[in-house]
Amino acid sequence: MKIDLTDTTAGKVNKALVQGRRAIGTPAVGMVLTLVIVTDEENAYDALKAAGDASHEHPSRTLLVIKRVSRSPRDRTTSRLDAEIRVGADAGSGETVILRLHGEVADHADSVVLPLLLPDAPVVVWWPVNAPLDPAKDPLGALAQRRVTDTYSSEQPVRELSARADTYTPGDTDLSWTRITPWRSMLAAALDQVVCEVKAVEVEGEEFNPSCELLAMWLADRLDVPVRRSLSAGPGLTAVRLDTSEGAIALDRADGSLATLSIDGQPDRAVALKRRETAELIAEELRRLDPDDTYASALRFGVERLNASATAVLPVPDSSPKGAPVTVGAEFAGAEPVAEPGAEPEAIAEAPAAEAAPQEPAPLKKRAKAT
């Protein structure tokens, strides 16, 4: 069921929501949270589709906020709110309200959204694109317990990570971090199978991919070892290689779907490691509404500090001649060069261990040092 309201108010929208629920025979509200999506017309369809798919796992009231661009000075001084309300089969497992804000009201989106929030339910705000530099200080972000951004959609993703670290507030998270949850789980499980000391790590993936940088920072933060970034044609993350006291451990995914886990002395294993859709990422983020301390620790490690690590010399993978060493990868794009081979690595401060969250992988262990 769809209800269109032109030049309306938040009060009329709320009344139309109640009438819509009664019309389809579900007057009770059975939703667990309010998801506020802030985007533009270009990205609205994809964001709403992802939220609708995620609502089958997390029934929610979805408020899609679109700030319309005014084309003339007179339009910029004229405020208008248009709303489209979807309930029942048209809204997935919840309710959807599309709010188009025109003129001056676009600068006060929080006053429109506030009356439409579910009472006594958590609020999550998601910016698919054009996220504010400090989400917690944004008027809409201030209403939420959880603020979701995506540095992959920014023009300069790696620099955006530094800005996120400077403004981090508990409750902030990033879909670029969510994308590497299976990688972190697999690497933690691989290290649990071998009693060893990790000496150096290589993370291989696309250039300007913040998920690669976040994974590298997480490994450097948890293992306290030099971590190098090398570039590949993708898609996304393609490989992680660890040089350990018991031989090489490699997780290689060349096609974006199926990966191969190689541990010295053990047969190679094929593992499913497909690239996930946005709906799956949002559904994962909605499973937890508490602060992600592991993400905060990795983010604060910093791209610059990671980039200053010493060059690591790792064994060549199995497809190369045995015993031939290789110098890992290239520097970060736009960052300062890393140290030459043989240079002493900078000291890496030990980060406190974060409490394990329900969907977090097991804590990564270096064996020779508690993290």
Side-chain angles (χ1 to χ4, degrees):
M1 179 178 183
K2 294 183 180 180
I3 304 172
D4 288 323
L5 301 174
T6 303
D7 196 6
T8 187
T9 64
K12 292 179 180 178
V13 172
N14 231 334
K15 184 177 180 180
L17 276 170
V18 175
Q19 292 173 344
R21 285 200 305 271
R22 288 175 178 170
I24 63 174
T26 56
V29 178
M31 290 158 285
V32 298
L33 58 89
T34 304
L35 175 62
V36 181
I37 307 172
V38 187
T39 186
D40 52 24
E41 289 284 4
E42 180 182 357
N43 298 280
Y45 175 81
D46 291 337
L48 198 57
K49 184 177 185 303
D53 292 342
S55 72
H56 294 293
E57 183 176 340
H58 308 279
S60 59
R61 173 176 289 179
T62 301
L63 305 178
L64 181 68
V65 179
I66 302 174
K67 300 179 181 180
R68 297 296 298 268
V69 177
S70 300
R71 290 183 169 83
S72 69
R74 187 169 67 176
D75 289 341
R76 285 192 285 271
T77 60
T78 303
S79 297
R80 191 175 91 239
L81 169 64
D82 297 334
E84 179 184 332
I85 300 169
R86 301 178 183 179
V87 293
D90 292 315
S93 299
E95 300 171 343
T96 298
V97 182
I98 302 174
L99 303 168
R100 290 182 171 87
L101 283 60
H102 305 256
E104 293 182 344
V105 72
D107 298 326
H108 305 281
D110 54 317
S111 63
V112 177
V113 167
L114 187 59
L116 301 176
L117 301 178
L118 290 172
D120 303 321
V123 178
V124 179
V125 177
W126 171 32
W127 292 269
V129 294
N130 302 325
L133 288 178
D134 191 345
K137 291 186 179 179
D138 181 84
L140 285 172
L143 300 175
Q145 288 77 39
R146 192 80 163 162
R147 296 165 292 277
V148 184
T149 59
D150 191 355
T151 51
Y152 187 77
S153 65
S154 63
E155 292 184 3
Q156 297 179 318
V158 178
R159 292 187 181 180
E160 190 84 4
L161 288 177
S162 298
R164 292 278 174 260
D166 293 338
T167 61
Y168 175 81
T169 302
D172 292 353
T173 192
D174 188 344
L175 292 187
S176 294
W177 171 256
T178 316
R179 290 184 180 97
I180 62 174
T181 299
W183 284 83
R184 295 188 293 124
S185 299
M186 194 62 64
L187 290 169
L191 283 178
D192 278 340
Q193 299 178 41
V194 183
V195 179
C196 63
E197 179 179 353
V198 179
K199 299 177 181 178
V201 179
E202 174 194 10
V203 176
E204 178 186 277
E206 288 177 323
E207 191 175 7
F208 308 120
N209 189 315
S211 294
C212 301
E213 324 304 336
L214 282 167
L215 183 62
M217 289 189 288
W218 174 69
L219 288 165
D221 180 44
R222 304 308 299 171
L223 294 176
D224 193 12
V225 296
V227 178
R228 290 294 310 276
R229 266 281 278 123
S230 60
L231 304 182
S232 71
L237 266 163
T238 52
V240 176
R241 302 181 183 95
L242 296 85
D243 181 22
T244 78
S245 58
E246 299 298 322
I249 298 175
L251 184 59
D252 199 317
R253 185 191 68 178
D255 61 356
S257 177
L258 191 66
T260 301
L261 176 63
S262 303
I263 302 176
D264 272 9
Q266 299 183 19
D268 291 352
R269 279 164 280 184
V271 294
L273 206 61
K274 72 179 183 69
R275 305 189 75 197
R276 297 184 293 168
E277 300 293 332
T278 304
E280 296 177 74
L281 304 177
I282 286 296
E284 179 181 324
E285 283 302 329
L286 296 181
R287 288 183 202 127
R288 58 172 300 165
L289 299 177
D290 57 314
D292 191 341
D293 295 331
T294 308
Y295 165 69
S297 181
L299 186 66
R300 287 170 174 160
F301 185 88
V303 176
E304 297 81 5
R305 186 175 169 192
L306 175 70
N307 207 35
S309 298
T311 300
V313 178
L314 300 181
V316 170
D318 292 342
S319 59
S320 302
K322 294 291 183 179
V326 59
T327 301
V328 177
E331 297 86 22
F332 292 101
E336 296 181 2
V338 299
E340 293 297 324
E344 289 293 326
E346 290 185 352
I348 301 177
E350 181 180 358
E355 292 185 2
Q359 89 274 14
E360 287 292 324
L364 205 59
K365 295 175 280 186
K366 188 187 175 185
R367 306 300 180 189
K369 173 179 178 292
T371 55

